[in-house]
Amino acid sequence: MPPSCPVGILSTILQRTVTLHPSSSVGSPLDMTLLEGSIGVEDLVLLEPLEQESLLKNLQLRFENKEIYTYIGNVLVSVNPYQQLPIYGSEFIAKYQNYTFYELKPHIYALANAAYQSLRVRDQDQCILITGESGAGKTEASKLVMSYVAAVCGKGEQVNSVKEQLLQSNPVLEAFGNAKTIRNNNSSRFGKYMDIEFDFKGSPLGGVITNYLLEKSRVVKQLKGERNFHIFYQLLAGASAQLLKALKLERETSGYAYLNQDVSRVDGMDDASNFKAMQNAMTVIGFSEEEIRQVLEVTALVLKLGNVELSDEFQANGTPASGICDGRGVREISEMVGLNSEELERALCSRTMETAKEKVVTALNVIQAQYARDALAKNIYSRLFNWIVKRINESIKVGTGKKKKVMGVLDIYGFEILEDNSFEQFVINYCNEKLQQVFIEITLKEEQEEYEREGIPWEKVDYFDNGIICNLIEHNQRGILAMLDEECLRPGVVSDSTFLAKLNQLFHKHAYYESKVTQNAQRQYDHTMGLSCFRICHYAGKVTYNVNSFIDKNNDLLFRDLSRAMWKAQNPLLRSLFPEGDPKQASLKRPPTAGAQFKSSVAILMKNLYSKNPNYIRCIKPNEHQQPGRFSRELVATQAQYLGLLENVRVRRAGYAFRQGYGSFLERYRLLSRTTWPHWNGEEREGVEKILRELSRSSEEVTFGKTKIFIKSPKTLFYLEEQRRLRIQQLATLIQKIYRGWRCRTHYQQMRKSQILISSWFRGNRQKKRYGKIKASVLLIQAFVRGWKARKEYRKYFRSGAALTLADFIYKSIAQKFLLRLRNNLPSTNILDKRWPAAPYKCFNTANQELQRLFHQWKCKKFWDQLSPKQVETLQEKLCASELFKGKKAAYPQSVPIPFRGDYIGLQGNPKLQKLKSTEHGPVLVAETVKKVNRGDGKTSSRILLLTKGHVILTDAKKYQAKTVIGLESVAGVSVTSFKDGLFCLHLSEISSVGSKGDFLLVSEHVIELLSKMYRSVLDTTQRQLLVTVTEQFSVRFKESNVVVKVIQGPTGNGNGKLSFKKKGSHSLEVTL
């Protein structure tokens, strides 16, 4: 029995003994099994002491051990790991699907499962609120929630189609709404709320997406190190050349003023493949090809607008005006979307003011025209994004007649405090104030309802109510947003300064409002407060806002001339984005401000959230550099303050930190009392009271409800856990003692039985073996005796040795017949005839092979004796060619039957060529016309090549004068291709006088013969073997530099050996066959 067996049995016994069956109540904040073997505190409600430092220390400890999720009751805190962790996928989905919220480690799947099960089983509409800084992982968290819900809900063709459409909305919205920022490579620059609608079975029917406050200023300007929205880079990188031509775009991002030139690519992000994924996602959602084309045309229009350059001009009366520097950009835009270029140019450079009685056209100066151009670009992109969201909603919407349940997922910006906070940060922080208000009110409401159900008196909880801050911002008559709208709408001189003065006058006594004026009135000095700033004391800390551009950003005006110009476009999508441009629908009424629109959207969102059961995910960014394993305590402390984590814990612990059903509590802690252990047959509440009475716990620490026990301090819970741990150790020791005794007794009994059985089998087997040996010996002796008697009886009838004589005679007769038959059937004396008769018997195989070898050698000797010295020389040259080129060069097989001539230019019969022969160089072995390749430009020129025993001579083909004489000792090697061409390179040693000029690249029609004879000449002259390299790519030395020659076979190459040379740069020559 293995040594690990006791531990395994003990573990099984303890699991069966003390397994906790957690209550399904949502109010139960912790399954106590999490305290065993957990890293840090898995639920911050049980954190002791409850301080910022201990909270950060606990988060850091869990993060460093790759535990990124922590609970605050039913709130999930998620720390971005910046790496892929093996805690996701179908295996973990199935695991968390079968357990309740607190039964396993904290995980986003647990929260998603709790929300989905509450929606499906209890028929409660749910919402999941995901907040945090940019880069904290909000988008990934929303994807994980949606993927979990898609995995656990129903199956079917229609259901799968709906799930696919919901999931494919992410790539589209990320392409048009996400961008690279300093903090995050895929930062959502808009808020998103998605309602996923289900039927009564829990299968998805569709959904509705609501977007909030797209950061459209990014369209025209980005900070250093940031990018514009992903779609622009995806379009330029992933679109085909044909599509780019149709959109009048170029692939390089450097050609567009609206794209930051510092950062055009993002590590780990493939814009081209993302563009294809975005197009596929739009097709899955239901966009038609025409709609996709129109969307891309409008996107290209925004890019092209940034390249419209404006210049200073003056009217006849000297008034400053503006004009288009180069009309090409405007014409391309007009052609692409079907606009009148002159009308568009006029709308960009002038403005029409209308009253009830007259119209006045005013020329815009350069600054005003640039503002109008950028405002148009921002409005087009913002309206395009809203149209895409609306179009997705049309595809995934649910019919009005179907009864449905709803789960909302809110992915929205977290609380922001930047160095320079403007209008965007103001409305974002206002939204977070409202979300904090919802959290506190709903949490306290749940606590109060549970207290009433359990019959426990409700005591007022002391907490910070941020309603006064919300009222400061959103009050209809005296709120900051109302004052901003009033300042934007009133006549007269309006500026950011007058707006700040109005705030100072209205809120100078407000406890949560500060400015330079209010500080001076109270005789306070703060150098961080600027003259154009005001400060609000939010729940997460004080934030100083700079009022510059508040008026412009709140107005968000677009001149009517531009709206009318866009409405006249032939592109249906662009036309639909500007309905106010229709003269029939023209209105002099001022459109609502950005602040008013956002306030209205937040109000609708809050009403939506109040109607659902909320679930919270607080996302935290551990460091600014997106590095895995790095935890910046200062950064996390700031985010913990913004997210109000400590405030959340205090609200949770305002009454009782822990509550649990009597049955679950008794099941876990019954081993602490001799009365309830091991069995308790009474009422569950009575058993719990007996346990706590024997442990002498104070009545102030414990309160008994109708179905649950409530514990005020985590210390009491930790005391119970410690007592339980000690008791388990005692029980484990007892179980181990009993088990070890039982195991020893059982082992002894098994050993005794085994010994008796083995002894009996051994004795029996030994006797069987002894009997078998005796029997075998007797049979052997009997066999020998019978054989001896038989041989003695028959020996007198036969002569001794007759058998050997007969055998020898028979063998010799067979051998004689074999040799005589072989003599009469010998094959021909042709050395190429490989025929040979087979041996009649296997015993003659060796002798037959040896005879065949001797006969072949005799034929070869006879053939060799008949050859003349010239024929011997020719065969040796052919043998050398075979060794060098057989199986390596395609031209070799054609050269085998053709004899080597040596003289291919008529050297003997031409008097002009006689002077080329020189006695000092020796006899000429090869004389032929070759082509010398110029290494500089690839052109060829004819040369006569003479090969002697000691030299290679290159001669002018026209003047018959020696150009170059190369000693064979200077030839270092030869490179030749494997094709049927005659290209080869003579590599010369650098130390020789000729070799200092470089190598020679030549083309010969008899390259096999030339190189074979050169190889033999080098061997005879220098007693070394010439290195012949067969390759398609080799290097040719040219004075101080090298040229790489690459030989390729062209697409129409038929192997006829014709070559074409093409220079590729300064160091490469391409030869096409």
Side-chain angles (χ1 to χ4, degrees), residues 1018-1047:
V1018 171
L1019 184 62
D1020 294 341
T1021 303
T1022 65
Q1023 301 303 314
R1024 65 178 177 87
Q1025 293 183 348
L1026 178 64
L1027 179 62
V1028 179
T1029 305
V1030 181
T1031 178
E1032 278 68 55
Q1033 182 171 325
F1034 50 86
S1035 177
V1036 179
R1037 187 167 51 82
F1038 178 51
K1039 292 184 179 180
E1040 299 298 331
S1041 62
N1042 290 336
V1043 176
V1044 176
V1045 178
K1046 184 177 181 182
V1047 183

Side-chain angles (χ1 to χ4, degrees), residues 939-962:
K939 295 182 179 179
T940 60
S941 57
S942 295
R943 293 285 188 274
I944 294 175
L945 184 144
L946 302 179
L947 173 65
T948 68
K949 283 290 186 177
H951 298 83
V952 176
I953 305 171
L954 292 176
T955 306
D956 192 322
K958 295 180 180 179
K959 299 180 181 180
Y960 303 108
Q961 295 179 357

Side-chain angles (χ1 to χ4, degrees), residues 426-476:
F426 176 73
V427 294
I428 286 172
N429 294 342
Y430 159 61
C431 180
N432 279 271
E433 283 286 354
K434 296 295 291 182
L435 292 174
Q436 176 70 3
Q437 187 179 34
V438 171
F439 170 76
I440 294 175
E441 290 182 3
I442 293 180
T443 301
L444 291 178
K445 181 181 178 182
E446 289 178 350
E447 290 282 300
Q448 185 173 2
E449 289 176 352
E450 184 170 21
Y451 280 35
E452 291 175 356
R453 284 196 307 269
E454 294 295 323
I456 297 176
W458 170 257
E459 298 179 4
K460 185 178 180 181
V461 177
D462 185 19
Y463 69 96
F464 172 67
D465 184 2
N466 66 337
I468 187 172
I469 302 175
C470 297
N471 197 47
L472 168 67
I473 298 172
E474 68 179 2
H475 192 277
N476 289 333

